[in-house]
Amino acid sequence: MSRTIPRRAYRLRRAALCSLGILLIAARGVGAGEPDEYGPARLRMVDTIEEEFRWTASMVGPLDPAVAEIMRKVPRHRFVPDDYQGHAYLNQPLPIGYGQTISQPYIVALMTGLLDVKSTAVMLEIGTGSGYQAAVLAELVKEVYTIEIIEPLAKLARERLRRLGKHNVHTRIGDGYFGWEEHAPFDGIMVTAAGDHIPPPLVRQLEPGGKLVMPVGGFLTQYLVLVEKAGDGSVTTRQLLPVRFVPLTGDH
Amino acid sequence: MDENQPSRGFLFTVFLISGASLAYQVLSIRLLSIVSWHHLAYMVMSLALLGYGVSGTFILLASRLIERAPELAYVINAVLFGISSVGCFLAAQTLLVNPAQMLWEGQQVVRMATMYLLLSLPFFFASNCIAIAIVRHKRHLHRVYAVDLFGAGLGALGVVLVLHALSPGATLKLLGCVALIAAALAWSTLGCRPRSVSAYLALCALLAPLALSQPWAELRPQEYKGLQQALKVVGTRIVTERSGPLGLLQVLESPKVPFRIAPGLSLNTPALPPEQLALFTDADAMTAITRFDGDLRPLAFLAYMPSAAPYRLLKNPRVLILGAGGGMEVLQALYHRARRIDAVEQNSQVIGLVRDHYRDYTGALYARDPVHIHVAEARGYIATAAESFDIIQIALLEAFNTSASGLYALNESYLYTVEAFRQTLRNLAPDGLLAVTRWVKVPPRDELKLFATAVAALRAEGVEHPARQLAWLRGWRTSTLLVKNGKFRQADLRELREFCRTRSFDLAYLPGMKAHEANRYNLLPEPYFFTAAEALLGDDADVFADRYKFDIKPATDDRPYFFQWFKWPVLKEAFASRGAGGYALLDLGYLMLLATLIQALVLSVLLILLPLRFINRRGPSGPRALKVKSACYFFAVGLGFMLIEVGFFQRFVLYLSHPLYAMSVVLTGFLVFAGAGSMTLARHATPQAAVKRAVTAIVVITLIYQAMLPMLFAATLAWNDAAKIAITLMVIAPLAYFMGRPYPAALQTISERAPLLIPWAWGINGCASVLGAVLAMVISIDLGLSAVVYLAALLYVLAATLRL
């Protein structure tokens, strides 16, 4: 017993220091001088996502550590309606009004990781929604161009992103079908508001070697589509199930 | 009101209230389908109908109070029915319920429960009226019951007719007025004082529509519905609206952000869709009306969808389009220079919109040569079509999100059954092609079920090597299955390979195809389609289907649930992996049906057992054995009635080729003829003898029908609608006549031995009816429609052996 007490005390001290450090990092993401009451919840959310990735890595690959780090910083509660702030760090999709939703954090992490972009990348997002995905991308890449079709939603997102100091996110209200020609080509494109086909103009605005990611489904993401443009301009698509699931029994 | 014969005037009010109540039941499903979703409507309404069951308990508990002034109680309940039918629906539609969200959020469950509660109130009040009438006229209860059934029967028919003329919202207000008029008449015929109340009630009924013409009394679709989302885009507006019993049609234009509807369009397309309008049905299920001026060049995009594959093989074909909708497949056929196009659409209002209202916009698409448009249901059309076709296209009509969530699981479809495919194959000219396009799901579900259905149909048609007559290709969003009336030739296969290569579509299956050819452009985690095709064509097809985690066994006319893919093991996996989006694997329709059944069962048991405590305290309720027998008897009879009604209704859907008209004819037929059976009950010496004879007749007729109806239907399927409706009614008449007897006969018995049990029996019947409707659905999905009918016959036999 006499030996265990100091060891436990040491562990506690270490844990406290770590938590403080993480909280400080997390608080930096929220905004200067603002208390971050959701910091611990955010860390738990990313722990949950990491846990899920341990299960699904064989299907979707590992969680990108850089994405995890960013999601520890970006305050998701600032992107959901007040009624849902208490749920903001649960790993679940949430309604954001106007019939739209903010994706499950696991799906956000997965889609962001699939783009596999460098810090110098220029990104296009079709469907700003709450602005959360753009805020995550903003931490990862050089510039983010995002287009939202629903005006009030676009204005809300623009204001949120401005308040959070995401100056490398450029928003536009309007039609995303033809992309954003002036800033093309893009190293990565994320289409979170898909119709019944991938707009061909978007693929044309994709840099060779770039990727386009698109979730298919409504409130629940049925599957993800990853369009890859090779160096020679040829295009392949992949359809990914976000979940570890083998459709035949006894075939795990 | 007295214990003597009920007056005709009073019976007329019973008739009106019953009619309005059943009309409200049908209408609520329509209304909820517009503001919410069809599957949700089914679940909510099933449980709301428990208001009938609650009513029995309430009348029992409040019997002393009601006995003091039954006339007043009757009128008050009629008034409350009228007010609540409109008020409760308007309140319920403001509750935002998203079924998918329910998996995460408890608050959604509370909203759902509030919805049940609100919508059950009108049924509760209407049922109170009938129960009060039955209790007060217990010596003539068979007449009251008969009028109740007549009213309900004509209500079912009436509401469909009214929906042709009025919008669903206006019909709702009309029903409220009918209830108030019934209350006014009841006040007058029952001799209540002061007489002026009757006039005031009538005045209220007349003024109510004016008061309800305000914006707050309009239908408000939920914001998750496709229409509402489309309307949020700047500049988008509803330009045309049509309402009918088959749905609310709304056409939207969006000049600033144009609609671009092209399911599964290849990324390699050289052309984009031209200007389009969006056609929404019940505020969802968007399809396109495409601008066309006779110039085929802007339609080039239509050659870059998987559904264009058959045109690569057949030049200048005769084409049949099943599901014409806004006309995209018709344009596709036109673009590919079909020499004749027959297009079938069941909703005449859709045709009217394209052919007449948007005649200029669509370049007179539905009136130009060589297009021939037919108002018909697809299965009915192919069953009676005399011509043969080179290409039969089954269009992709349902929306992806609804389809992907398995929310159509409860919708029977007689278009995707083995029998339907056999029929379709017979309508193909030699070397003709059946082309069926489906949404791609990951992992695939209905796509595989479709392939299995085609294999089964070919085998049933005596084709020795189905593998040689099937070709299957897929893009990332849609897949198209081709079934050929003959073997694919090498030249065909070369064409299909080229078609896929130039569009980056994958070969899912071709005769003689090698494994390495699959899964090239749109990479799936595994070549699911090719693996499944090989397995389903092999000797171990059943083993593969059993091992597959979704139900992909072919649908048949006896189990016509093509959209039901749920298997239990997926539930466990989906729950375990919910953090990684696992819930998307669930097919919600079947689960919601089971949830409905469980809730209905628990509530029914409570509603049946709870009153017993009070019956015991209240004097002459008969011996305990009588109560147990009564409970079992009324439960069995209520359940049996509903199971037969649903079981036969499903068969008549196929025969009459239309769910809505089948529902009107079958429901009205059953209720009216059952009413006739009840009305003539007094001629029997004893109620027991009546029950015995009725049950014998029900069982015999049911068994004969099980054997004979398929033959009768096959022989008369090509007859005109009027003849088929007449045959339907003739078939229903004897069965329903006898089904109308066991319930009132036994009520007569207990009215003499233990009158207190009457409202209880009424409540049990209400609960059993609700349970019966849901149970019939579960059994028909899992075991087939025949099982539903056999179980019903068994329940009647069980009831007869109780000798109540």
Side-chain angles (χ1 to χ4, degrees):
Chain A
M1 286 296 287
S2 60
R3 279 191 306 161
T4 55
I5 292 168
R7 188 173 290 176
R8 192 180 289 166
Y10 167 73
R11 278 185 195 153
L12 281 171
R13 239 191 342 262
R14 195 178 59 176
L17 280 170
C18 282
S19 302
L20 187 66
I22 290 167
L23 280 174
L24 283 171
I25 295 167
R28 204 156 48 93
V30 175
E34 283 186 45
D36 184 15
E37 55 179 313
Y38 292 103
R42 193 155 53 245
L43 300 183
R44 281 197 299 275
M45 177 188 82
V46 179
D47 288 347
T48 308
I49 294 171
E50 283 176 332
E51 186 64 25
E52 292 295 342
F53 265 91
R54 273 193 278 281
W55 275 91
T56 57
S58 62
M59 301 284 282
V60 298
L63 171 63
D64 183 339
V67 175
E69 197 49 44
I70 289 165
M71 289 182 73
R72 286 193 184 96
K73 287 198 259 174
V74 180
R76 192 174 184 246
H77 68 277
R78 301 278 290 269
F79 293 88
V80 300
D82 292 349
D83 295 353
Y84 284 99
Q85 288 208 345
H87 296 77
Y89 294 104
L90 299 176
N91 181 26
Q92 65 182 56
L94 290 172
I96 54 167
Y98 307 96
Q100 306 297 310
T101 51
I102 182 168
S103 296
Q104 188 170 5
Y106 166 86
I107 300 285
V108 172
L110 177 55
M111 291 200 302
T112 312
L114 283 173
L115 285 170
D116 193 22
V117 281
K118 294 182 185 138
S119 57
T120 53
V122 178
M123 287 284 310
L124 173 67
E125 185 193 28
I126 308 298
T128 316
S130 67
Y132 178 70
Q133 178 70 69
V136 170
L137 289 171
E139 294 284 322
L140 196 66
V141 301
K142 189 175 158 210
E143 302 289 343
V144 179
Y145 294 89
T146 179
I147 304 172
E148 172 57 51
I149 204 168
I150 299 173
E151 192 171 331
L153 210 53
K155 285 181 175 167
L156 269 173
R158 180 184 288 167
E159 182 57 24
R160 278 181 193 132
L161 291 162
R162 190 191 60 76
R163 279 194 193 165
L164 288 168
K166 307 290 178 195
H167 301 298
N168 59 342
V169 180
H170 311 278
T171 59
R172 193 167 92 176
I173 301 167
D175 188 3
Y177 193 84
F178 293 100
W180 200 325
E181 192 70 55
E182 303 93 288
H183 302 286
F186 299 98
D187 301 293
I189 300 178
M190 190 168 279
V191 188
T192 48
D196 59 13
H197 61 274
I198 302 168
L202 294 185
V203 181
R204 285 197 279 276
Q205 288 180 17
L206 195 60
E207 182 86 53
K211 292 176 181 171
L212 178 151
V213 178
M214 185 166 86
V216 176
F219 193 75
L220 298 172
T221 301
Q222 299 289 327
Y223 60 87
L224 301 171
V225 177
L226 178 66
V227 180
E228 294 169 275
K229 194 171 190 176
D232 63 358
S234 65
V235 171
T236 51
T237 60
R238 279 205 288 152
Q239 280 147 286
L240 297 164
L241 205 56
V243 60
R244 191 177 74 163
F245 183 80
V246 180
L248 281 172
T249 52
D251 202 15
H252 294 276
Chain B
M1 225 184 316
D2 57 36
E3 297 248 350
N4 297 323
Q5 284 222 6
S7 70
R8 284 189 180 174
F10 174 68
L11 284 177
F12 182 62
T13 66
V14 171
F15 176 87
L16 284 181
I17 289 168
S18 290
S21 150
L22 205 124
Y24 182 67
Q25 192 178 325
V26 175
L27 179 69
S28 300
I29 293 188
R30 282 267 58 247
L31 288 166
L32 282 170
S33 300
I34 295 168
V35 300
S36 165
W37 289 271
H38 177 265
H39 55 281
L40 198 69
Y42 177 81
M43 178 163 158
V44 169
M45 289 316 294
S46 295
L47 289 160
L49 285 172
L50 281 173
Y52 284 123
V54 180
S55 157
T57 309
F58 172 78
I59 296 292
L60 181 70
L61 299 182
S63 55
R64 283 194 185 145
L65 193 68
I66 292 169
E67 275 162 18
R68 279 188 219 158
E71 298 84 1
L72 186 65
Y74 183 88
V75 174
I76 287 176
N77 276 289
V79 171
L80 289 174
F81 168 51
I83 295 170
S84 63
S85 59
V86 180
C88 288
F89 182 82
L90 293 178
Q93 72 165 351
T94 62
L95 296 165
L96 193 63
V97 177
N98 181 6
Q101 217 170 318
M102 216 175 293
L103 295 163
W104 304 98
E105 217 184 300
Q107 202 190 15
Q108 290 285 322
V109 180
V110 175
R111 286 182 194 174
M112 189 78 150
T114 313
M115 213 178 215
Y116 298 157
L117 200 66
L118 280 169
L119 293 172
S120 68
L121 284 176
F123 298 112
F124 169 74
F125 294 126
S127 180
N128 282 348
C129 290
I130 313 300
I132 291 168
I134 285 179
V135 170
R136 292 302 298 161
H137 296 281
K138 41 185 170 284
R139 286 185 198 161
H140 302 278
L141 63 86
H142 62 283
R143 287 189 65 203
V144 179
Y145 182 63
V147 170
D148 170 46
L149 291 176
F150 288 147
L154 292 175
L157 187 66
V159 71
V160 174
L161 296 176
V162 170
L163 280 170
H164 276 101
L166 296 181
S167 71
T171 311
L172 175 68
K173 292 160 196 171
L174 176 72
L175 287 184
C177 295
V178 169
L180 288 179
I181 286 169
L185 280 175
W187 187 268
S188 166
T189 57
L190 291 170
C192 299
R193 294 285 185 278
R195 284 188 171 185
S196 54
V197 170
S198 183
Y200 287 131
L201 285 172
L203 192 65
C204 286
L206 293 174
L207 293 179
L210 286 178
L212 291 170
S213 59
Q214 305 299 317
W216 56 265
E218 284 172 5
L219 296 188
R220 276 188 238 158
Q222 305 233 329
E223 62 177 21
Y224 295 105
K225 297 208 77 173
L227 176 92
Q228 294 306 99
Q229 297 199 16
L231 283 172
K232 296 214 161 60
V233 176
V234 179
T236 306
R237 64 188 186 101
I238 298 170
V239 284
T240 314
E241 201 168 280
R242 295 280 185 279
S243 173
L246 291 180
L248 176 65
L249 303 173
Q250 287 159 311
V251 180
L252 269 68
E253 70 169 16
S254 184
K256 289 201 172 167
V257 183
F259 292 109
R260 300 177 190 98
I261 303 164
L265 184 65
S266 162
L267 279 174
N268 306 352
T269 180
L272 297 177
E275 186 187 326
Q276 292 176 321
L277 297 168
L279 169 62
F280 285 84
T281 305
D282 285 347
D284 227 336
M286 179 175 75
T287 54
I289 297 176
T290 305
R291 182 181 276 285
F292 178 55
D293 59 6
D295 180 5
L296 293 173
R297 282 171 299 179
L299 303 180
F301 76 104
L302 291 168
Y304 280 78
M305 307 209 291
S307 56
Y311 298 104
R312 185 82 178 205
L313 306 185
L314 296 168
K315 304 299 170 204
N316 305 116
R318 285 162 299 169
V319 181
L320 171 64
I321 311 283
L322 297 175
M328 188 172 277
E329 281 75 14
V330 178
L331 280 173
Q332 194 179 44
L334 210 58
Y335 177 77
H336 289 96
R337 312 214 178 260
R339 74 171 182 275
R340 182 185 165 100
I341 303 165
D342 287 276
V344 177
E345 167 58 48
Q346 68 172 358
N347 192 342
S348 60
Q349 289 185 316
V350 171
I351 294 177
L353 276 174
V354 179
R355 188 187 53 203
D356 306 326
H357 195 86
Y358 289 104
R359 187 185 174 90
D360 293 341
Y361 189 91
T362 60
L365 180 64
Y366 284 177
R368 69 186 299 136
D369 193 51
V371 179
H372 302 264
I373 195 91
H374 309 274
V375 184
E377 195 275 336
R379 176 72 185 270
Y381 186 83
I382 54 170
T384 54
E387 314 91 320
S388 58
F389 303 92
D390 299 315
I391 293 174
I392 300 180
Q393 279 268 14
I394 299 183
L396 182 59
L397 290 177
E398 80 277 2
F400 174 80
N401 282 343
T402 328
S403 173
S405 325
L407 294 174
Y408 283 105
L410 311 184
N411 291 25
E412 72 284 341
S413 167
Y414 288 103
L415 187 57
Y416 296 102
T417 65
V418 175
E419 292 87 342
F421 271 39
R422 291 182 66 183
Q423 186 75 57
T424 313
L425 289 172
R426 283 179 222 149
N427 287 334
L428 283 176
D431 290 329
L433 291 163
L434 164 66
V436 193
T437 300
R438 303 290 316 153
W439 295 109
V440 164
K441 298 180 190 73
V442 185
R445 293 156 225 193
D446 52 331
E447 306 97 306
L448 304 195
K449 201 165 187 161
L450 183 77
F451 193 86
T453 307
V455 173
L458 286 167
R459 290 219 163 99
E461 286 293 293
V463 174
E464 202 177 338
H465 301 291
R468 295 175 187 171
Q469 296 183 212
L470 292 162
W472 205 12
L473 36 111
R474 65 172 177 87
W476 72 272
R477 197 66 197 264
T478 62
S479 70
T480 297
L481 174 68
L482 300 178
V483 190
K484 186 169 176 177
N485 186 16
K487 293 173 193 163
F488 279 104
R489 298 186 189 91
Q490 284 305 318
D492 295 337
L493 303 179
R494 269 197 304 278
E495 285 294 330
L496 286 175
R497 282 189 167 92
E498 184 59 12
F499 176 83
C500 287
R501 190 189 63 76
T502 49
R503 287 154 179 78
S504 297
F505 293 153
D506 277 284
L507 298 172
Y509 176 80
L510 284 187
M513 173 183 159
K514 300 283 181 278
H516 67 83
E517 291 183 89
N519 217 20
R520 279 185 173 178
Y521 302 103
N522 308 289
L523 302 176
L524 289 165
E526 287 176 44
Y528 295 130
F529 285 75
F530 180 68
T531 310
E534 291 269 284
L536 293 169
L537 284 164
D539 296 333
D540 294 331
D542 287 342
V543 177
F544 179 83
D546 287 338
R547 282 184 61 207
Y548 204 72
K549 287 180 184 167
F550 299 99
D551 183 355
I552 54 163
K553 288 197 171 162
T556 61
D557 282 354
D558 195 49
R559 284 180 66 200
Y561 298 97
F562 178 76
F563 302 102
Q564 147 58 20
W565 319 300
F566 177 77
K567 277 189 183 174
W568 283 103
V570 176
L571 183 62
K572 195 177 158 197
E573 279 194 69
F575 182 74
S577 58
R578 63 192 182 284
Y583 281 145
L585 296 166
L586 287 178
D587 302 318
L588 292 176
Y590 185 74
L591 284 175
M592 288 178 75
L593 179 68
L594 288 185
T596 311
L597 182 67
I598 292 165
Q599 293 170 76
L601 195 66
V602 171
L603 290 169
S604 296
V605 168
L606 275 177
L607 290 171
I608 291 168
L609 295 183
L610 191 71
L612 279 176
R613 288 176 58 93
F614 299 91
I615 292 173
N616 288 336
R617 292 183 201 155
R618 304 286 301 274
S621 63
R624 189 165 177 272
L626 181 66
K627 275 177 263 176
V628 175
K629 266 190 185 183
S630 301
C632 294
Y633 180 92
F634 289 110
F635 197 72
V637 166
L639 212 56
F641 192 105
M642 207 40 122
L643 290 182
I644 288 190
E645 204 175 54
V646 176
F648 280 102
F649 162 67
Q650 297 285 24
R651 288 177 192 281
F652 283 108
V653 167
L654 174 60
Y655 180 58
L656 295 173
S657 303
H658 205 292
L660 191 75
Y661 302 134
M663 188 204 71
S664 312
V665 172
V666 174
L667 210 56
T668 305
F670 264 105
L671 292 167
V672 170
F673 289 119
S678 174
M679 191 66 108
T680 53
L681 189 64
R683 291 178 199 156
H684 280 271
T686 62
Q688 286 84 355
V691 170
K692 200 174 163 188
R693 274 188 213 169
V695 168
T696 308
I698 291 167
V699 173
V700 170
I701 296 171
T702 300
L703 294 179
I704 291 173
Y705 282 3
Q706 275 300 102
M708 305 287 289
L709 277 189
M711 283 183 267
L712 177 71
F713 287 172
T716 59
L717 198 59
W719 292 16
N720 66 40
D721 287 347
K724 287 204 287 189
I725 288 172
I727 289 175
T728 302
L729 291 175
M730 277 192 282
V731 167
I732 290 171
L735 180 60
Y737 181 82
F738 290 108
M739 282 164 62
R741 295 187 155 200
Y743 178 72
L747 266 190
Q748 275 184 348
T749 308
I750 63 164
S751 74
E752 287 155 18
R753 296 174 63 190
L756 260 184
L757 296 183
I758 293 178
W760 187 50
W762 177 252
I764 292 173
N765 190 53
C767 292
S769 302
V770 173
L771 269 178
V774 186
L775 191 64
M777 195 69 104
V778 175
I779 295 171
S780 62
I781 286 176
D782 287 330
L783 300 171
L785 289 166
S786 303
V788 174
V789 176
Y790 290 132
L791 178 64
L794 199 67
L795 283 163
Y796 271 109
V797 173
L798 181 78
T801 56
L802 287 168
R803 294 172 182 276
L804 191 67

